[in-house]
Structure formats: C-alpha cells, structure tokens
Amino acid sequence: MQRVLRSTMFPSLTRMENTRLGWSPGSWRTKEAAQQVDYADEEHLQTVLNAIRRQPPLVTSWEIEALRKQLREAAAGRRFLLQGGDCAESFEDCQEELIKNRLKILLQMSVVLIYSLQMPVVRVGRFAGQYAKPRSKSLETRNGMSLPSYRGDNINDLEFTPEARIPDPERLMEAYRYSAIQLNFVRALADGKFADIHNADYWGLGFAQQSPHIKSYQTIIGKIREALRFAETVADDPIGGLNRVDFFTSHEALHLPYEEAFTRQVPHSDSIYNLSTHLPWIGKRTLFKGSAHIEYMRGIRNPIGIKVSAEMAPSDLVPLLRNLNPLNDPGRITMITRMGVAKIENALPGLIDAVQRAGLNALWCCDPMHGNTETASGGIKTRRFDNILAELETAMDIHTSMKSILGGVHFELTGEDVTECVGGASDVGEADLNLRYRSTVDPRLNVGQSLEMALRIAQKYQALEQV
C-alpha cells in the first residue's frame, strides 16, 4: 500500500480537508462566474474539455513546488520576483525569434537586478497560456455594427467579422497545443547555452544598442564577468550551474472550464494542482466577494496571484487572504498591486497596514502598468513611461517607510521594438504610436523601455539602501 506524502515545509489543505470545506475542482460553478463565455454548442465544448483532460499536463507539480519555495523566499526579502510578458498572447506569435527575444529581455533585466540587488531573481513569464482576456464590454461596435468583443485567441478571433467573433471551443485545444510548443522551446533554451551568464554580453538586441542606458548595462555585465573570471581562476575550474536558468509560467486563470480541465491530483500527493501553469492569478474584474474565481483558486496547491486595485478596501483584503491562504503560508499568495500613479499614495498604505496588523503572510509585488492606461489623442490606448516608473518608485518608498518588503515587479513587456508605451529612453511619442503598435489588447513596454526600467529599479533600490 502506497503512503501518501504531504509536504511539511509548505503545508496546504489536503484533498480530504478541501472536501470537508466544500471545495472541489468544480465547486466554482455554485458561485458567480464573471467574464465567462457563452458557447452556442455546449456539447461541443464538453467534448473539447474532455479531450484536454486526457492530454499530458503543461507543467509538473515539482516545478510548482520549486516556484512556491522561491516565492516564499521572495516574501522574506531573500529573492526578487520579475514577472513579465505579453498582455494577451496570440497564436500567431508562437514563433522562434519572438520567443527568444522575450526571454532575452527577461534575462537582461534579471541580470541587472541580480547584480544590483545582490539576490537571486525569480523569473516568471506571462506566456504559454495568457490567451484569455477580460473585457469591460461584451460587445464592440464599429461603423454602426456590434459584434461580440474579442476575448483572446483561445475564445475567438481578432478579425471584426460575425464569423470570427463566434466563440469556438476548438480554440481551447489550440491554446493547449501552442502553450505546449512554447514551453518545450523555453525549457530547451533555459537549459542550454542561450541562458549561460558567461554569454550575457551577447543577449543585447540590435536596436537596444542605441539606448542611453546600454553603457550602464554593459558595465554591469562587465563587472559580473570579471567576478566570474576571478572566481574561476581561484577555483581552477569553470563555475557550474551558470549555464541554465529557471523560467516559470503564469497567466490569468480566467476561463474556468479550461482551468478545471487541468486541475488534477498527482501521484504520491494528497494535494490538487492546476497543471496548466505554475502561477495562475485572479484579475481585478473577477476579484469580488462570492466570485467563482476565488472559489476555484482556494483549493488548488499552486501559488496564486491576486490583482489588488486602489478600490480594494483593507477590510475586504484581510478576509480574502484568509480564505485563499488559511494556513498563512508566505509562499502561497502574491499580491500584485495595480493602483495608478494618482491613487497609490492614498490606497497602498492602508492595505499594507491591514495585512501587517492581521499578521498575514504574502509577497507584495507592484504592477505599475494597469493603473496607468490612458487614451492618446489619436484614440489609441497607451501608457506613459514616467507614470509607470513613478508608481513603482512610490511603491518602493511606501513599503520602505512601513518596514514592509516589496518583493517583486510585474510588467507587460515584449522583446520587440514596438511603439505602444510613450516615453523612456527610446523616446516614443504619441505621434509614433501608429508606427509599430502590435498588441491586440493593452500596450507593452518595448525592449529598450524594459531594460531602462530594470536599471531604474536598481538605481532606486541602491538609493533607498543609502538612506
């Protein structure tokens, strides 16, 4: 008879305990499920979901446990979380160079942070599953014609035609396949010379060389290489373990039937995991009392994220954390604050104080993107680099003053030279937005803006240490 093993280092509710508390992978169906999809053929949907249930998982339980351990260390100030990637992935962007470039910029940013913060960085990508997006309106109107809104490539198509906007269950299987392809390639790159820190000076993309901050980056890389050469000279042998990195995946767990299809118990464990991603999160639009998304997330073993806006009341945050993390494990919850530069000073301190007074454990992470979205004069959605940076620096100041730990950052970014966010060293203006605006939903930092942001984070942290 096999003995079921339960982690004592990172406790979680067992399957039997969850059952006693009324949770199951499908108990979310008894709650209010916002942002869900109306399919014309429910039987077709169930056929596709059953097919997905028979497929191998996208991630493993031991990868999830490794991330949970690292996030626990980040919550204690011994690591730093860098979470970044596309606003909404598209099937079309599952291409070799696009994937490589996205990993390159995350590697570049992480090297800057590792050197400057003097601690390991947890790399979590918004990829291999970020195919569903919440929408504020169910219909989109153009030239007097109204059609269902585009909700992401795993639901319908961006093309504005009646046929393209019909939700298609087969797209869920396509999302699975494209996620698997990406993960396979990412794992191969992360485990090979592509990620070797000895080759860090070759990570730079051609157009990034024009950034005014590229010299600072090259200086940091040069100092790292000098330290490596010295250590290897003393050791008389190459330092092992520097030719690979860990990349974890994350996406908003929005499409609950899809997430439920990946919700499984693994051998030799009495916990239940979502094996579609390492770190699923709940977005602002589905984080409300009685939410089906909260109900679903409370029972899975994965570390989870919650997007905390300026509208979140401290009196609501505390019971939410207790519901999602009844054992108060610091590796369980990542609170991703997305306030907006105009609101963060009034909203964030009260939330931090409430969590501290309640003695609750969580990792604080700043998303300075979503609260700073605006519409440019030409009617295009954009974000200003200065506002993004200002919210991030304000978050650092608030956490420092309250003796709290800001353990991570969350960006929508790309490794491409897009023109979607205004400002920064790349000097993108509103008139430039039409040049290379490729996002299907929200604007992303381009490669130069992303690298500059990492350098500015490093400078701010070093300044705070001197205070």
Side-chain angles (χ1 to χ4, degrees):
M1 179 177 177
Q2 288 185 326
R3 182 167 63 91
V4 174
L5 301 178
R6 181 181 180 188
S7 170
T8 56
M9 185 179 297
F10 307 112
S12 67
L13 295 177
T14 66
R15 179 171 56 86
M16 291 182 63
E17 289 168 335
N18 271 328
T19 301
R20 191 164 59 248
L21 292 172
W23 184 89
S24 71
S27 61
W28 61 268
R29 298 175 186 277
T30 65
K31 305 291 184 178
E32 181 182 350
Q35 296 287 332
Q36 296 307 287
V37 184
D38 292 325
Y39 290 95
D41 189 342
E42 185 69 23
E43 185 175 343
H44 186 190
L45 172 64
Q46 293 306 317
T47 298
V48 172
L49 292 173
N50 288 335
I52 290 174
R53 288 187 179 95
R54 294 191 294 270
Q55 301 300 311
L58 291 168
V59 302
T60 66
S61 60
W62 53 89
E63 291 172 335
I64 292 170
E65 292 297 336
L67 175 59
R68 188 159 170 157
K69 178 178 182 294
Q70 291 187 22
L71 293 177
R72 181 181 244 234
E73 293 171 354
R78 298 194 299 271
R79 287 182 183 266
F80 192 81
L81 169 64
L82 172 62
Q83 186 175 9
D86 282 313
C87 165
E89 293 181 279
S90 69
F91 296 159
E92 184 179 314
D93 285 347
C94 186
Q95 302 177 32
E96 178 181 354
E97 286 306 309
L98 294 181
I99 296 170
K100 280 184 175 179
N101 288 347
R102 184 172 55 215
L103 293 192
K104 281 179 183 178
I105 188 57
L106 288 173
L107 284 167
Q108 287 178 321
M109 295 174 74
S110 66
V111 167
V112 171
L113 294 173
I114 289 168
Y115 177 80
S116 302
L117 276 60
Q118 294 292 293
M119 67 176 69
V121 167
V122 187
R123 303 171 186 87
V124 177
R126 289 173 56 113
F127 53 64
Q130 183 60 6
Y131 290 116
K133 290 297 293 182
R135 304 316 301 262
S136 56
K137 297 180 180 179
S138 60
L139 294 177
E140 179 182 354
T141 302
R142 298 185 191 177
N143 300 321
M145 181 170 69
S146 295
L147 295 176
S149 295
Y150 169 68
R151 291 185 172 273
D153 271 16
N154 70 343
I155 295 169
N156 55 9
D157 195 275
L158 183 62
E159 186 181 2
F160 194 74
T161 66
E163 296 76 18
R165 292 299 176 91
I166 296 174
D168 181 1
E170 293 296 334
R171 285 180 165 270
L172 297 175
M173 182 60 79
E174 285 190 78
Y176 167 77
R177 290 171 181 154
Y178 280 112
S179 296
I181 291 169
Q182 281 199 72
L183 272 170
N184 181 61
F185 190 43
V186 167
R187 286 182 173 121
L189 292 174
D191 205 33
K193 289 188 177 180
F194 178 86
D196 193 336
I197 199 169
H198 293 85
N199 300 328
D201 52 342
Y202 299 117
W203 294 346
L205 307 175
F207 44 79
Q209 301 302 316
Q210 305 306 315
S211 167
H213 290 279
I214 197 67
K215 289 184 178 179
S216 298
Y217 168 67
Q218 290 170 337
T219 298
I220 290 173
I221 293 299
K223 290 181 178 179
I224 293 172
R225 289 173 65 85
E226 287 177 10
L228 283 172
R229 280 196 295 268
F230 174 78
E232 290 175 345
T233 299
V234 172
D236 198 28
D237 198 29
I239 299 176
L242 296 178
N243 63 343
R244 70 170 310 279
V245 296
D246 289 325
F247 271 105
F248 299 100
T249 67
S250 65
H251 67 245
E252 182 175 359
L254 187 64
H255 194 295
L256 290 174
Y258 179 81
E259 303 300 333
E260 184 184 346
F262 286 97
T263 307
R264 307 170 187 180
Q265 185 175 2
V266 301
H268 313 299
S269 173
D270 56 2
S271 296
I272 296 177
Y273 296 82
N274 178 328
L275 298 179
S276 74
T277 188
H278 302 106
L279 177 63
W281 79 76
I282 309 174
K284 174 189 174 183
R285 290 185 177 92
T286 53
L287 193 69
F288 55 86
K289 189 175 182 179
S291 161
H293 291 79
I294 294 174
E295 171 63 19
Y296 170 75
M297 292 287 228
R298 76 180 178 96
I300 59 174
R301 168 73 184 173
N302 305 57
I304 63 174
I306 57 173
K307 287 292 191 82
V308 180
S309 72
E311 288 70 45
M312 171 69 74
S315 58
D316 291 332
L317 179 60
V318 169
L320 173 64
L321 293 177
R322 286 175 173 155
N323 182 22
L324 290 171
N325 190 19
L327 300 179
N328 204 21
D329 174 15
R332 164 69 170 165
I333 304 287
T334 298
M335 288 190 294
I336 308 168
T337 59
R338 31 98 74 230
M339 308 285 182
V341 67
K343 298 179 179 180
I344 186 170
E345 286 189 87
N346 290 329
L348 184 57
L351 296 171
I352 295 174
D353 180 65
V355 171
Q356 289 176 331
R357 287 177 179 273
L360 299 179
N361 293 314
L363 167 61
W364 290 95
C365 175
C366 179
D367 168 6
M369 305 288 291
H370 284 83
N372 292 304
T373 306
E374 60 183 78
T375 302
S377 55
I380 301 176
K381 279 201 298 187
T382 190
R383 291 158 175 160
R384 299 185 182 277
F385 183 93
D386 288 347
N387 289 341
I388 296 168
L389 179 62
E391 178 172 351
L392 184 52
E393 290 185 335
T394 301
M396 294 180 192
D397 288 335
I398 291 171
H399 280 281
T400 300
S401 68
M402 299 186 70
K403 295 182 170 53
S404 174
I405 296 172
L406 178 61
V409 290
H410 181 119
F411 296 115
E412 288 185 341
L413 56 80
T414 176
E416 305 303 306
D417 189 21
V418 300
T419 54
E420 297 172 1
C421 291
V422 175
S426 57
D427 199 27
V428 177
E430 288 193 22
D432 303 316
L433 292 176
N434 281 314
L435 294 178
R436 292 179 299 278
Y437 198 108
R438 296 170 185 156
S439 175
T440 57
V441 184
D442 287 336
R444 303 160 296 174
L445 296 172
N446 64 28
V447 61
Q449 292 166 332
S450 300
L451 179 54
E452 182 182 5
M453 192 65 69
L455 288 163
R456 299 296 290 270
I457 294 170
Q459 292 168 358
K460 179 66 175 180
Y461 266 100
Q462 289 172 347
L464 289 172
E465 286 182 355
Q466 295 172 4
V467 175

